[in-house]
Amino acid sequence: MGTARRPGAYVCGVDAAMDVIGGKWKVVILWALGEGTRRFGALRRELPGVTEKVLTGQLRELEADGIVHREEYREVPPRVEYSLTARGVALNEALAPLGAWGKANVLNPSPAAGEVREDDHVPLVAGPA
Amino acid sequence: MGTARRPGAYVCGVDAAMDVIGGKWKVVILWALGEGTRRFGALRRELPGVTEKVLTGQLRELEADGIVHREEYREVPPRVEYSLTARGVALNEALAPLGAWGKANVLNPSPAAGEVREDDHVPLVAGPA
DNA sequence: CTGTATCCCACACGATACTG
DNA sequence: CAGTATCGTGTGGGATACAG
């Protein structure tokens, strides 16, 4: 088995959530989308080194989990916009404390890591649906 | 590449944290340890299906990341106790909202998922060090 | 522009056996 | 009891090419 424990044998809410955000690019996508709706290409440019196939895959999974909304405008050239669903927004907010922790304990492992100021990943909330 | 993006190229605090809790058993270990100090064997019994090798690996990584503390009592038979460090306790607390989200949106995807009561993984805080 | 279609591979995880 | 030592494996992710 790779990593996830999909079979529904979740021990607690956290590892259930981990299954949703476990992909390599998921949280970054979440973050980007948290700042507002994004087109496929824009998203790709924001993720350093992701390929189309993988980005598509991650987005499809997030969509299947009801985290992102995919709006397809059939025109030429084609245009597709991704945004967070209400559930995605909630997830993003639930991720904020973890982001603050990571910032304080991994990015800036300051000795007396106690206070965290700055923007700790509390997006502006966006996304229709 | 497997999954993590260790090279230090973190985009935000969240994916930095993901690197720490990304292992298949990490969050469950965190949870168990959040309830109190555990011996190796006890931990193994709490995780359904983990092997010694893997459990050891996960614990070693958490230890290297300063999340768990390993206390070795050299006696016969040998005894080793694992507990959360202060940083580990903080991480566990930062995980609480995510646990609540997972519970409400993955475990019990109730239609009008709005309120969450019960214990949403807010451990009793344990671990010396 | 937004994707499929293939092929490929590293690496986290697992099974089993053995040891201080 | 609490691990190492080996060997094997599935799969998430990457490279590249092509398509509507």
Side-chain angles (χ1 to χ4, degrees):
Chain A
M1 208 182 302
T3 289
R5 187 168 29 230
R6 289 259 177 198
Y10 295 127
V11 179
C12 63
V14 182
D15 69 330
M18 287 299 299
D19 224 358
V20 172
I21 59 174
K24 182 172 181 181
W25 306 94
K26 299 269 182 80
V27 299
V28 189
I29 292 174
L30 261 292
W31 198 12
L33 254 30
E35 292 183 328
T37 299
R38 292 280 189 279
R39 298 187 51 169
F40 184 85
L43 225 32
R44 183 151 72 101
R45 261 171 265 118
E46 286 190 57
L47 312 199
V50 74
T51 64
E52 298 95 336
K53 175 204 161 188
V54 172
L55 178 54
T56 302
Q58 302 275 300
L59 285 168
R60 289 285 190 280
E61 289 182 17
L62 287 172
E63 191 188 359
D65 285 328
I67 307 299
V68 312
H69 171 71
R70 179 175 185 275
E71 191 67 43
E72 185 176 359
Y73 301 88
R74 288 186 154 276
E75 29 183 73
V76 291
R79 178 166 57 108
V80 178
E81 294 189 337
Y82 292 92
S83 55
L84 292 182
T85 63
R87 178 171 293 185
V89 173
L91 172 57
N92 223 0
E93 285 165 352
L95 243 23
L98 186 62
W101 182 92
K103 215 172 199 176
N105 293 278
V106 185
L107 299 182
N108 316 314
S110 27
E115 60 278 271
V116 180
R117 291 156 303 176
E118 272 196 278
D119 63 316
D120 20 348
H121 178 209
V122 197
L124 327 171
V125 176
Chain B
M1 207 182 301
T3 291
R5 186 166 34 226
R6 288 260 177 199
Y10 295 128
V11 180
C12 62
V14 182
D15 69 329
M18 287 299 298
D19 223 357
V20 173
I21 58 176
K24 183 173 180 179
W25 306 93
K26 298 272 182 79
V27 300
V28 190
I29 292 173
L30 260 294
W31 198 13
L33 254 29
E35 292 182 329
T37 298
R38 291 282 189 279
R39 298 186 52 169
F40 184 84
L43 226 31
R44 183 151 73 102
R45 260 171 267 119
E46 287 191 57
L47 312 201
V50 74
T51 64
E52 299 95 335
K53 175 202 159 188
V54 171
L55 178 55
T56 302
Q58 302 274 301
L59 285 169
R60 289 285 191 279
E61 290 182 17
L62 287 173
E63 191 188 359
D65 286 328
I67 307 300
V68 312
H69 171 71
R70 180 176 185 274
E71 192 67 43
E72 186 176 358
Y73 301 88
R74 287 185 155 276
E75 31 183 71
V76 290
R79 178 166 58 107
V80 178
E81 295 190 337
Y82 291 91
S83 55
L84 291 183
T85 63
R87 178 171 293 184
V89 173
L91 172 57
N92 223 0
E93 286 165 352
L95 244 23
L98 186 62
W101 182 91
K103 215 172 199 176
N105 293 278
V106 185
L107 298 183
N108 316 315
S110 26
E115 60 276 271
V116 179
R117 291 156 303 174
E118 275 197 275
D119 63 317
D120 19 350
H121 178 210
V122 198
L124 328 169
V125 176

